[in-house]
Amino acid sequence: MSSHQDWDPRSPEVLADPIAAYDHMRQRCPVAHSDYLHHSMFRHADVMRIVMDHDTFSSQASRHVSVPNSMDPPEHTAWRALIEPYFGPDRMAEFAPVCQAICDDLVGALPHNSSVEIMFGLAHPFALRMQCAFLGWPDSLHEPLRQWIHKKNVATLSGDTHAIAAVATEFDQTIRDLLKERRQAGDQVPDDATSRLMQATIHGRHPTEDEIVSILRNWTVGELGTMASSVGIIAYYLATHPALQDTLRQDPSLIRAANDEILRIHAPLIANRRTPRCPVQVAGKQLQAGDRVTLIWASANRDEAVFGDPDEFRLDRDPSLNLLYGAGIHVCPGAPLARLELEHMIKTLLSATTRLQPSDEHPPIPAVYPASGYRQAILQLRMA
């Protein structure tokens, strides 16, 4: 351990209540060093400065190539142009009926007028089924993918580079097997997002297998963990705010904006990384080229300097200030899909119930970094 640490992101106190810990750090030490996360940025202004200045702060903050997450312009620009149509209006309109059918099925299977553990009873199945349906993957992958996400989070928290590499290799092999099946299918290959990606062109060629695997890994990692966390966070928040439940039942057109605001208050994604290309100062702290910088979204989106009382729910906030899906050239390309899925799920859940209530006997158990939200949250459902 280095001689100087401003905080310990893996301490029991931080892991027990990470949002409160980030709030405290934002006030006490807005640019904080630790052995685990290196230079953590907690303030909205500092995070925005970094994500908007891709000339100074590179996204190549990992030893492994990640398409397009760890790329900088001009290479990033070309890959984003290839990827964004997969999340465009036409594709979202095409996927919406599938999305609604999955929501109807999952909510319809919930126990009537009883308690449900919302994470494994709804949130995780939701994320797995949505992702596999969007990519055209078989239902048989639901459980292996769920186990893989758990192993990835454990390995990331441990900081064990060998364990992290082993988990990545396991997932990559799953994707390679899927790609092999599609190549062997010939003319019978399904017309889905995965097959379309294989036939895409960039720089006058098809993407290599490694590039396709990287894209699909990024889509899946970003989708499964954060979407399950999002459902749990929103459902529990609504359970503890019955007046808001009633408002959204009466006017479902507010659900999308409400989801974004709830997830500003309690982020489903904790952090991302950047690295300076040259020596630079941020908030009075000197950073060197190659330093690892961790952008704490879960703190920046609660910055009092921007949002006032960070726990105040408001639907009239400037949406451009909400960093739920990032900002700048690396803003999440899958944001339209995430918003579509969450809107359908929360609308379906609210329309099927007259009240969501938290359990008096079982308080929620927080998830452990790098996950966010809840590991377990029990709700009482009163069905319509």
Side-chain angles (χ1 to χ4, degrees):
M1 184 174 289
S2 67
S3 58
H4 172 70
Q5 282 207 122
D6 296 309
W7 72 311
D8 180 4
R10 292 183 288 184
S11 71
E13 295 78 15
V14 172
L15 296 179
D17 192 348
I19 300 299
Y22 304 150
D23 287 347
H24 176 69
M25 290 303 300
R26 188 171 60 251
Q27 301 296 325
R28 183 177 73 83
C29 187
V31 180
H33 181 267
S34 67
D35 288 337
Y36 183 52
L37 295 181
H38 300 253
H39 301 281
S40 295
M41 305 288 165
F42 292 94
R43 296 193 305 201
H44 190 280
D46 298 330
V47 169
M48 280 292 286
R49 172 192 169 186
I50 291 169
V51 298
M52 300 303 291
D53 185 3
H54 55 266
D55 291 327
T56 303
F57 295 92
S58 171
S59 291
Q60 297 179 11
S62 170
R63 291 170 294 178
H64 306 286
V65 175
S66 175
V67 182
N69 301 30
S70 70
M71 291 178 167
D72 296 317
E75 193 69 4
H76 172 267
T77 307
W79 283 103
R80 280 292 294 235
L82 181 148
I83 286 170
E84 286 181 349
Y86 289 83
F87 305 97
D90 290 345
R91 180 62 176 129
M92 294 301 96
E94 178 186 350
F95 186 64
V98 178
C99 176
Q100 185 61 56
I102 292 173
C103 292
D104 289 340
D105 189 36
L106 289 171
V107 172
L110 293 174
H112 282 219
N113 301 315
S114 183
S115 62
V116 60
E117 198 293 294
I118 205 72
M119 296 310 299
F120 286 94
L122 184 65
H124 289 297
F126 163 83
L128 290 163
R129 288 186 60 175
M130 287 293 183
Q131 182 67 357
C132 287
F134 181 74
L135 294 175
W137 293 0
D139 293 348
S140 59
L141 282 181
H142 292 172
E143 183 58 22
L145 286 173
R146 187 190 67 79
Q147 294 180 7
W148 179 81
I149 287 292
H150 172 71
K151 288 186 282 187
K152 178 190 74 71
N153 288 341
V154 170
T156 301
L157 180 63
S158 73
D160 185 335
T161 56
H162 295 293
I164 294 171
V167 171
T169 299
E170 176 186 338
F171 182 74
D172 287 1
Q173 188 57 52
T174 299
I175 298 180
R176 293 182 195 279
D177 291 343
L178 287 169
L179 300 181
K180 181 179 178 180
E181 291 175 4
R182 278 166 168 70
R183 294 192 184 97
Q184 293 175 340
D187 294 339
Q188 303 302 313
V189 66
D191 180 21
D192 54 36
T194 300
S195 297
R196 295 174 195 174
L197 186 60
M198 295 171 68
Q199 297 304 316
T201 57
I202 185 165
H203 306 313
R205 60 174 177 82
H206 294 309
T208 66
E209 180 167 292
D210 285 347
E211 290 166 341
I212 294 171
V213 168
S214 180
I215 292 170
L216 292 174
R217 184 198 312 117
N218 285 332
W219 286 357
T220 306
V221 171
E223 180 81 0
L224 294 183
T226 56
M227 291 304 290
S229 295
S230 295
V231 170
I233 290 167
I234 296 170
Y236 190 81
Y237 188 92
L238 292 175
T240 57
H241 294 78
L244 179 58
Q245 282 185 57
D246 292 338
T247 297
L248 299 183
R249 285 190 181 92
Q250 294 167 9
D251 188 354
S253 68
L254 299 175
I255 287 176
R256 181 169 292 204
N259 288 343
D260 280 8
E261 174 68 352
I262 293 168
L263 297 177
R264 177 200 64 77
I265 294 170
H266 189 161
L269 176 65
I270 297 296
N272 278 139
R273 290 183 288 175
R274 296 291 191 274
T275 186
R277 301 176 188 271
C278 57
V280 62
Q281 278 200 354
V282 178
K285 292 292 183 75
Q286 182 66 42
L287 305 178
Q288 302 301 321
D291 280 352
R292 176 177 166 181
V293 174
T294 304
L295 310 177
I296 309 292
W297 306 114
S299 172
N301 248 0
R302 293 174 54 81
D303 193 334
E304 296 83 356
V306 176
F307 301 105
D309 178 358
D311 289 308
E312 181 186 7
F313 177 93
R314 288 174 48 186
L315 289 177
D316 61 347
R317 297 187 187 277
D318 181 351
S320 68
L321 298 175
N322 191 335
L323 298 175
L324 171 61
Y325 295 103
I329 63 170
H330 283 278
V331 65
C332 178
L337 176 63
R339 286 190 168 107
L340 173 76
E341 292 176 353
L342 290 172
E343 182 177 23
H344 277 268
M345 171 48 70
I346 299 307
K347 181 178 180 180
T348 304
L349 181 61
L350 290 177
S351 66
T353 59
T354 58
R355 183 65 70 220
L356 307 175
Q357 293 178 303
S359 169
D360 294 330
E361 299 178 359
H362 304 284
I365 301 173
V368 177
Y369 184 93
S372 184
Y374 305 109
R375 189 171 65 206
Q376 176 180 291
I378 298 175
L379 300 184
Q380 299 288 330
L381 306 183
R382 294 183 184 177
M383 309 306 287

